[in-house]
């Protein structure tokens, strides 16, 4: 049976954290799931390379422990501004390359029965309110096909254009928003210790460094695009910011390829339309500091899977609005912390004062750090323990495999209360 001959219970566009996790959970429920990724696979993605304790907890709850087994444990973060520095405790964090994480999550989704299409672009076709499906046009390297799905999840991030034709999905971009860049250095030794994140704040951006397994050093930064052009490019500005904090990437290190994003801080007023919902970064994003973005994506995927009606049920017209409320409750509150701290990251003089206050009152500083990086238990675990107690055996990605409908045919989740 071809892709276009299958009626898919769910089509998911974007194989990042949100898309891969949602695909894995829905496939385990017995849904016929198609996961579509426009990039060739595996692919690199701009990311800080860190998972907060909240993100790690979400992965464990949805049964994707294999994705984080090889991660580097992280227990502290150092904030640097000029000559000032402050160490804060962030237990439970982890460091790993985003390509490794996404690959492990997608492998688990395929093992559970999801069909995965890498290197395929998708566009959403118009629909009428009475339709029981949404149609997508898929562009392969050698052909074009049209598919139908009962629900479509847009997980294509802040730079995705999948929802460009939906009138409800317009972006609102923050004033003076910065861009994101990332690079990975493949050999050491490095001037920072493993098990810690080092954040360096300069006049035109901030740069995070973390040691990853196999002696790699990962760099991620948020940069003022105007200053970036003035400095001659992102690598030059990154080195300038590091020098202002008394640190430098060793000059003998081979210069890696810098990858970039569009402007980071943005949001959508609405999160869904008829049989299509935005999930993960496609809902909105705030400049992250120590891995919060992946926690937001994993939490969002977990919640939307709980909210979706079974394939045999009618589409609830109020679902987009309910999803927006739940997103605000579960993720919006956490994003408020990053949004509130954003001005400090844009002004190193203000951060220097914050470092002095944090050094004098470490209990308050560590409380703030915990609030940003740790999960709120009543939000993360409001359903029955074991609700997502899925098998944890890692699997191998098999391209062009149509999958199988495993799990409970009634759509119940293994381990859930009945």
């Amino acid at each position: 049976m071809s892709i276009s001959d299958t009626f898919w219970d769910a089509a998911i566009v974007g194989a990042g954290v949100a898309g891969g996790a949602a695909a894995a959970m829905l496939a385990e429920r017995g849904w016929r799931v198609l996961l579509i990724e426009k990039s060739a696979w595996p692919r690199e993605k701009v990311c800080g390379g860190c998972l907060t304790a909240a993100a790690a907890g979400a992965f464990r709850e949805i049964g994707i422990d294999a994705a984080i087994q090889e991660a580097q444990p992280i227990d502290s973060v150092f904030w640097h501004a000029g000559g000032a520095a402050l160490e804060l405790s962030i237990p439970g964090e982890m460091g790993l390359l985003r390509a490794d994480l996404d690959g492990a999550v997608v492998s688990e989704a395929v093992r559970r029965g999801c069909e995965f299409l890498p290197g395929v672009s998708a566009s959403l076709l118009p629909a009428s309110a009475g339709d029981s499906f949404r149609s997508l046009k898929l562009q392969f390297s050698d052909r074009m096909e049209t598919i139908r799905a009962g629900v479509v999840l847009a997980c294509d991030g802040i730079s995705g254009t999948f929802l460009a034709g939906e009138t409800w999905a317009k972006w609102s971009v923050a004033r003076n928003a910065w861009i994101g860049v990332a690079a990975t250095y493949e050999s050491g030794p490095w001037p920072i210790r493993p098990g810690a994140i080092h954040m360096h704040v300069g006049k035109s951006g901030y740069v995070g460094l973390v040691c990853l397994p196999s002696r790699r050093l990962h760099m991620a930064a948020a940069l003022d695009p105007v200053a970036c052009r003035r400095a001659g490019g992102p690598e030059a500005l990154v080195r300038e910011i590091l020098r202002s904090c008394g640190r430098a990437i060793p000059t003998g290190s081979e210069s890696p390829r810098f990858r970039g994003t569009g402007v980071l801080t943005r949001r959508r007023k609405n999160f869904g339309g008829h049989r299509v919902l935005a999930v993960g970064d496609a809902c909105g994003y705030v400049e992250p500091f120590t891995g919060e973005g992946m926690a937001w994506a994993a939490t969002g995927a977990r919640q939307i899977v709980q909210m979706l009606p079974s394939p045999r049920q009618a589409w609830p017209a109020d679902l987009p609005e309910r999803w927006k409320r739940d997103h605000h409750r579960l993720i919006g509150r956490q994003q408020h912390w990053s949004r509130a701290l954003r001005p400090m990251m844009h002004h190193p003089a203000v951060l220097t004062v914050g470092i002095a206050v944090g050094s004098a009152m470490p209990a308050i500083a560590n409380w703030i750090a915990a609030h940003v990086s740790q999960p709120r238990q009543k939000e993360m675990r409001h359903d029955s323990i074991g609700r997502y107690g899925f098998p944890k055996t890692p699997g191998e990605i098999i391209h062009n495999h149509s999958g199988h409908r495993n799990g409970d045919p009634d759509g119940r989740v293994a381990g859930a209360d009945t």
Side-chain angles (χ1 to χ4, degrees):
M1 184 177 293
S2 71
I3 296 294
S4 57
D5 289 336
T6 301
F7 185 89
W8 300 94
D9 296 328
I12 301 174
V13 178
V17 170
M25 287 183 281
L26 289 174
E28 187 71 15
R29 289 189 168 195
W31 287 42
R32 196 179 296 278
V33 181
L34 181 64
L35 177 61
I36 308 157
E37 168 58 46
K38 68 178 181 180
S39 301
W41 201 259
R43 60 99 171 92
E44 297 289 345
K45 187 173 182 179
V46 176
C47 184
C50 297
L51 286 171
T52 64
F59 280 123
R60 293 189 184 99
E61 286 224 341
I62 61 181
I64 313 181
D65 297 52
I68 58 177
Q69 285 178 355
E70 303 301 321
Q72 169 72 48
I74 295 173
D75 56 21
S76 62
V77 56
F78 289 85
W79 294 94
H80 304 268
L86 173 66
E87 180 181 8
L88 298 176
S89 174
I90 49 169
E93 294 226 0
M94 301 179 178
L96 75 171
L97 279 181
R98 181 60 184 272
D100 295 341
L101 174 67
D102 288 351
V105 173
V106 170
S107 290
E108 179 61 17
V110 170
R111 190 193 69 79
R112 296 178 182 183
C114 170
E115 168 86 7
F116 180 44
L117 295 180
V120 175
S121 298
S123 55
L124 186 64
L125 301 180
S128 301
D131 290 346
S132 60
F133 59 89
R134 289 301 299 257
S135 296
L136 288 77
K137 183 169 64 176
L138 305 184
Q139 180 65 61
F140 294 79
S141 59
D142 58 349
R143 69 188 191 280
M144 185 179 295
E145 294 192 29
T146 300
I147 65 163
R148 297 185 304 162
V151 62
V152 177
L153 301 183
C155 304
D156 56 338
I158 61 174
S159 300
T161 59
F162 179 69
L163 295 174
E166 296 288 290
T167 57
W168 55 267
K170 305 303 181 184
W171 283 115
S172 175
V173 179
R175 292 181 55 191
N176 303 318
W178 286 359
I179 61 173
V181 300
T184 304
Y185 296 81
E186 293 295 340
S187 61
W190 307 111
I192 64 173
R193 72 169 177 84
I197 303 170
H198 286 260
M199 300 294 296
H200 308 82
V201 181
K203 292 182 179 179
S204 303
Y206 54 91
V207 180
L209 299 176
V210 62
C211 287
L212 300 179
S214 302
R215 300 179 65 189
R216 292 172 293 188
L217 177 72
H218 188 68
M219 181 282 302
L223 306 174
D224 181 343
V226 175
C228 193
R229 290 192 294 270
R230 188 168 57 241
E235 184 172 6
L237 183 55
V238 164
R239 291 183 181 274
E240 181 181 310
I241 293 169
L242 291 174
R243 282 195 299 270
S244 73
C245 297
R247 191 183 302 279
I249 298 294
T251 55
S253 302
E254 181 180 351
S255 181
R257 182 171 65 91
F258 273 59
R259 300 176 302 278
T261 70
V263 292
L264 295 170
T265 301
R266 58 176 70 195
R267 60 183 174 182
R268 283 187 161 114
K269 182 177 180 181
N270 299 301
F271 294 166
H274 180 61
R275 293 187 177 269
V276 59
L277 299 165
V279 186
D281 297 348
C283 293
Y285 200 67
V286 183
E287 288 169 21
F289 307 128
T290 57
E292 298 83 9
M294 284 191 277
W296 303 333
T299 302
R302 176 183 180 274
Q303 182 64 19
I304 202 63
V305 166
Q306 292 187 52
M307 298 179 70
L308 288 176
S310 74
R312 291 180 297 280
Q313 292 179 321
W315 176 258
D318 66 339
L319 182 56
E321 187 60 31
R322 288 192 288 115
W323 166 225
K324 180 180 177 179
R325 289 197 301 267
D326 276 15
H327 185 279
H328 176 75
R329 175 175 59 87
L330 295 171
I331 300 167
R333 293 176 183 175
Q334 293 297 311
Q335 290 181 336
H336 285 329
W337 281 101
S338 292
R339 190 174 287 110
L341 293 172
R342 181 170 172 259
M344 183 179 293
M345 304 298 291
H346 285 222
H347 302 283
V350 177
L351 180 61
T352 301
V353 174
I355 288 175
V357 173
S359 299
M361 295 181 288
I364 294 178
N366 280 292
W367 179 84
I368 294 175
H371 245 66
V372 173
S373 64
Q374 299 291 331
R376 296 183 65 175
Q377 294 300 316
K378 67 179 181 180
E379 294 178 352
M380 290 293 296
R381 302 178 183 275
H382 66 280
D383 58 352
S384 303
I385 294 176
R387 181 175 178 82
Y388 292 105
F390 295 144
K392 302 179 178 63
T393 304
E396 179 182 357
I397 294 179
I398 304 174
H399 297 302
N400 300 320
H401 173 56
S402 61
H404 57 279
R405 296 179 63 83
N406 57 356
D408 189 326
D410 293 328
R412 292 191 294 270
V413 183
D417 291 338
T418 56

